Amino acid sequence: MKIAISTSSFASIDTNPLELLKTKGLEVVSNPFGRKMNEEEIITHLQGVDGLLAGLEPLNETVFRKCPQLKAITRVGIGMENVDLDAAKKAGIKVSNTPDGPSDSVAEMTLAAALVLSRSMLAANTSLHHKQWNKIIGKGLKHTKVLILGYGRVGQKVAELFHVFGAEVMVCDPMIQSSSLSSYFKLVGLKEGISNAEIISLHTSGNQPILKSLEFELMQEGVILMNSARGALIDEVALIGALESGKVSSAWLDVFAEEPYSGKLTEYEQVLLTPHMSTYSVQCRKDMETEAVNTLLRDLGI
């Protein structure tokens, strides 16, 4: 039986998940490109393959039709937007993900970005690299109104961390009820949340913009915006306008509609940019990859 790996960094931290596959007598084919594959490349990669440890490459009806031996896919991560679940079901392909592994790592990265931006560390760093001794008074997190968009596993972790730092946490998620929230969190609608928030952090799914020109108009002057969820959730043109007007004072983006990213946001010093690496901690990679291998083996009946 043949297993393909499409994530570019699989087993780079810990080889145990890879060794587990090999101890089962499976042939393993790794990603030959070291990056996200396009449709043509993943089709070639999946020829004669029974199971896939998947990244963010397109997995659609065309791919499934041209890879008839494929029986199971396990996404190394949470997001499933790149997988056509209906087409997979029709093709008889089992699809799973690893929802638990990334939560702590993404929450840590989000908090780190919030501290950097709220304490004006980006601006201070830039000034000092230009030999300017600028002491900047930052907002900080205590008593700061933070809006969490999306209250899944990651959103819950992020909300808890902000609470520890004394922030006033609001949650916006149409899938939950107030009764399911801790007493110190406030459930709000989107308009109420973005109108009152000083920091907005996105942790929801989807491939359509949630924050567009209208939403940016409702935001407070000088809001901090952070996105570690999905690149398509923010209208980039609207964000650039908000950065130039000062409506958004600073932002952190770890995800982009098109990756690798080299667009206009690279021109703004007040924007902290990271290359989709929120899950790139040693423990997170170990946990996700081990969970993915065990799940794939289960789905293949091995």
Side-chain angles (χ1 to χ4, degrees), residues 5 18 24 65 83 103 112 115 117 123 125 130 141 152 154 156 165 168 174-175 197 220 236 246 275 286-287 289 295:
I5 299 171
L18 187 59
K24 300 293 184 178
R65 184 174 67 252
V83 185
S103 300
L115 289 167
L117 297 179
N125 176 70
H130 287 92
L141 299 182
V154 175
Q156 291 172 35
F165 276 77
E168 299 176 21
M175 303 304 293
Q220 292 189 22
E236 185 172 313
K286 287 181 179 180
D287 291 346
E289 291 171 3
T295 300

Side-chain angles (χ1 to χ4, degrees), residues 201-242:
S201 191
L202 279 72
H203 303 284
T204 186
S205 60
N207 53 19
Q208 296 297 321
I210 293 175
L211 302 181
K212 306 181 289 296
S213 295
L214 177 61
E215 285 72 31
F216 280 104
E217 289 174 9
L218 294 172
M219 293 177 191
Q220 292 189 22
E221 198 75 17
V223 70
I224 294 172
L225 180 61
M226 306 192 300
N227 186 12
S228 60
R230 309 286 184 272
L233 296 175
I234 299 175
D235 183 323
E236 185 172 313
V237 173
L239 171 57
I240 289 170

Side-chain angles (χ1 to χ4, degrees), residues 242-264:
L243 286 165
E244 292 183 347
S245 71
K247 175 72 78 166
V248 173
S249 64
S250 58
W252 167 57
L253 302 174
D254 188 52
V255 289
F256 307 87
E258 293 292 333
E259 297 180 359
Y261 181 80
S262 59
K264 190 173 177 61

